[in-house]
Amino acid sequence: MKGASGAEHPGLSQDGTPLACLGLLGKCRAGGAGAVPSSPPGVHVAPGCFLPSVCLFMPLALFPAVPSVLTPHKQRSPAELMEEVPLQTPPLPPTWAGRGRRRLAQPGDTPRLATKAAAGLTPGSRATFPQGLGMDLCHPDAAELSSGEAEELQRIRWHRDQLLEDIQKLKEEIADVFAQIDCFESAEESRMAQKEKELCMGRKKFNMDPAKGIQYLTEHKLLTPDVQDIAQFLYKGEGLSKTAIGTYLGERDPTNLQVLQAFVDCHEFANLNLVQALRQFLWSFRLPGEAQKIDRMMEAFAARYCLCNPGVFQSTDTCYVLSFSIIMLNTGLHNPSVRDRPPFERFVSMNRGINDGSDLPEEQLRNLFDSIKREPFSIPEDDGGDLTHTFFNPDREGWLLKLGGRVKTWKRRWFILTDNCLYYFEFTTDKEPRGIIPLENLSVEKVEDPKKPFCLELYNPSCRGQKIKACKTDGEGKVVEGRHGSYRISASSAEERDQWIEAIRASITRVPFYDLVSARKKKIASRK
């Protein structure tokens, strides 16, 4: 039995042709020609013809897709073979059996996996071949092959080389893909780092100049020009100065007004009393000092609160007036400079007739009063840890001489006018001021001094000589309350003095709450 006919014999098709062939081959090499082991008499293998047939048959079993063109010396038909007793493959030696549970061949298995399954091997096991069966089985002597067998062997080797080349190409492509992934991840990390750097710069610019900061962020595509996107950015407030947020929201530009409305809509006031809603709202930014800006912000707040809590007040005007009354009550109860603490009866009297001509329930006012009395509003401080951004774009700055409060000596100081305050420093490089003079409710005028020319004076017009609310640092670096009833300052020329007076007058503000409440009460009264 030799050639292709061996592959068709049912004895070889029962249990894994490659290993069965190896079993037959081992016997043939050991005993030459003779009967097939474990088979009835009469089945013989011709000497010298089995070796090449088995060697060629094994790759055909492994790669069944390769067409067979073998031309055996004496090919027998399947019908002739079936007339004889079927061949039985010899049992595998113990060393051939794989470890683990037997696995049956499955559709779609690779040739190698199918071969292991037929031999009873698990996918991760290896077969150990008997002594004497080496790799020379797959490299027969060319002289023993027919021309067709040699051609087929050559073709099999060519297919093997093609497979190895394809495998190598796949390895290179996979390596290239991983290299591209690494490059992409590196580029993405670099891009994110650059974006975070630009975002940090945009926040700093916003804290120094809100309009320029928003412009920088939109130009670098960190923000869209959409008012909702800008409002969300301000509402989250990460790294932003609360004062700068209030400054931007208070502007009258149409875009700023739309952002203000979207910013207020970010707050949810449902099921909150008015004090709770004010705490949330006033913590998200810092109210500016200008009356018109405060009016627009509180108007938007009142409309939003009434929308979230329908039926609590008759109109938004009621909510508007009561909100200002609560803010003034907070100042009266918790400002250390206020000695006359307002009682509950005064708070009730302030809010008579504000609910479209009728009074609010006394129990409601009592709850609001007690809430403020127990816990004052938390006013957000400027972010950043220092005042550098406050002095970035001052209204005016320069050297002036200042007369001391307790010790009447003149000292040269660097003055900066910004944010409705007058700051003075010992040196221009100082980060912290030596003193701060809030200009709220103060007046300024030029005065004559016997010792210094070109003087101006800051004073309280309601009670001249009364100590001005201000602060300074003492010799130990502690912040203490100022002792000036007035501040006298000398410029280097009359022109410079007049310029400072004009700039200070433009910056001086009054507490606008009383005027705003008074105007809104008149509006409510006119509707009766």
Side-chain angles (χ1 to χ4, degrees), residues 469-484:
K469 181 179 65 176
C471 65
K472 67 174 185 177
T473 54
D474 60 11
E476 298 179 356
K478 297 180 180 179
V479 178
V480 297
E481 188 178 0
R483 299 179 180 179
H484 287 264

Side-chain angles (χ1 to χ4, degrees), residues 6 36 62 68 91 175 249 318 333 347 351 397 467 479 488 507:
V36 177
L62 291 173
S68 176
L249 294 175
T318 303
L333 290 176
F347 180 67
N351 295 288
E397 59 184 342
K467 187 168 62 174
V479 178
R488 183 162 293 191
S507 183

Side-chain angles (χ1 to χ4, degrees), residues 127-197:
T128 305
F129 293 94
Q131 192 70 21
L133 292 180
M135 292 304 294
D136 60 326
L137 295 178
C138 293
H139 300 277
D141 189 356
E144 299 177 356
L145 300 177
S146 67
S147 61
E149 291 171 338
E151 182 181 349
E152 183 66 19
L153 181 60
Q154 186 65 26
R155 180 172 298 184
I156 291 172
R157 288 174 176 171
W158 180 84
H159 277 288
R160 181 199 62 184
D161 294 340
Q162 291 297 313
L163 286 173
L164 291 175
E165 289 181 8
D166 290 342
I167 291 171
Q168 184 60 33
K169 288 180 181 179
L170 285 174
K171 288 182 178 180
E172 293 174 357
E173 290 177 2
I174 291 172
D176 184 57
V177 169
F178 277 112
Q180 292 180 17
I181 292 174
D182 291 341
C183 183
F184 174 79
E185 290 178 348
S186 177
E188 183 68 12
E189 289 176 0
S190 177
R191 188 184 69 83
M192 293 301 296
Q194 179 65 23
K195 181 179 178 181
E196 185 62 30
K197 182 178 179 181

Side-chain angles (χ1 to χ4, degrees), residues 75-277:
Q75 183 173 345
R76 303 173 67 182
S77 67
E80 293 174 328
L81 290 173
M82 291 300 293
E83 293 176 356
E84 302 181 12
V85 179
L87 287 172
Q88 299 294 328
T89 56
L92 293 174
T95 55
W96 285 46
R99 302 185 188 90
R101 187 176 178 182
R102 178 183 175 89
R103 177 186 180 278
L104 299 179
Q106 302 292 330
D109 279 351
T110 61
R112 181 175 181 179
L113 192 57
T115 302
K116 282 193 172 187
L121 303 177
T122 57
S125 63
R126 298 182 60 185
T128 305
F129 293 94
Q131 192 70 21
L133 292 180
M135 292 304 294
D136 60 326
L137 295 178
C138 293
H139 300 277
D141 189 356
E144 299 177 356
L145 300 177
S146 67
S147 61
E149 291 171 338
E151 182 181 349
E152 183 66 19
L153 181 60
Q154 186 65 26
R155 180 172 298 184
I156 291 172
R157 288 174 176 171
W158 180 84
H159 277 288
R160 181 199 62 184
D161 294 340
Q162 291 297 313
L163 286 173
L164 291 175
E165 289 181 8
D166 290 342
I167 291 171
Q168 184 60 33
K169 288 180 181 179
L170 285 174
K171 288 182 178 180
E172 293 174 357
E173 290 177 2
I174 291 172
D176 184 57
V177 169
F178 277 112
Q180 292 180 17
I181 292 174
D182 291 341
C183 183
F184 174 79
E185 290 178 348
S186 177
E188 183 68 12
E189 289 176 0
S190 177
R191 188 184 69 83
M192 293 301 296
Q194 179 65 23
K195 181 179 178 181
E196 185 62 30
K197 182 178 179 181
E198 292 176 350
L199 184 59
C200 183
M201 178 59 68
R203 288 169 178 159
K204 289 182 178 180
K205 287 182 177 292
F206 178 87
N207 292 340
M208 295 177 180
D209 189 325
K212 291 182 178 179
I214 295 296
Q215 181 182 358
Y216 175 89
L217 291 167
T218 53
E219 287 177 352
H220 287 75
K221 301 188 183 306
L222 300 170
L223 271 181
T224 68
D226 182 65
V227 295
Q228 297 291 338
D229 193 18
I230 298 175
Q232 282 290 337
F233 174 73
L234 300 181
Y235 179 71
K236 292 178 181 177
E238 296 178 2
L240 302 182
S241 163
K242 298 296 179 69
T243 300
I245 295 174
T247 300
Y248 184 83
L249 294 175
E251 297 298 330
R252 294 189 60 182
D253 185 89
T255 300
N256 295 66
L257 294 176
Q258 294 176 21
V259 172
L260 170 62
Q261 186 60 54
F263 177 84
V264 175
D265 291 344
C266 291
H267 293 78
E268 183 53 58
F269 300 135
N271 301 318
L272 299 180
N273 65 38
L274 190 57
V275 171
Q276 293 172 328

Side-chain angles (χ1 to χ4, degrees), residues 417-438:
L417 176 63
T418 185
D419 197 23
N420 309 116
C421 288
L422 191 61
Y423 302 85
Y424 56 90
F425 302 77
E426 188 172 358
F427 304 103
T428 57
T429 55
D430 291 347
K431 290 186 177 182
E432 300 292 336
R434 289 295 303 273
I436 304 175
I437 308 171

Side-chain angles (χ1 to χ4, degrees), residues 399-403 410-411 445-457 487-498 500-501:
W399 288 105
L400 297 171
L401 296 175
K402 184 185 79 68
L403 183 63
W410 291 88
K411 294 184 178 179
E445 65 180 9
K446 58 182 179 181
V447 294
E448 298 294 331
D449 188 270
K451 295 185 177 180
K452 294 292 179 182
F454 317 122
C455 289
L456 60 92
E457 190 172 71
Y487 284 89
R488 183 162 293 191
I489 300 170
S490 174
S492 60
S493 65
E495 181 183 5
E496 184 182 31
R497 176 197 61 194
D498 295 342
W500 272 102
I501 290 176

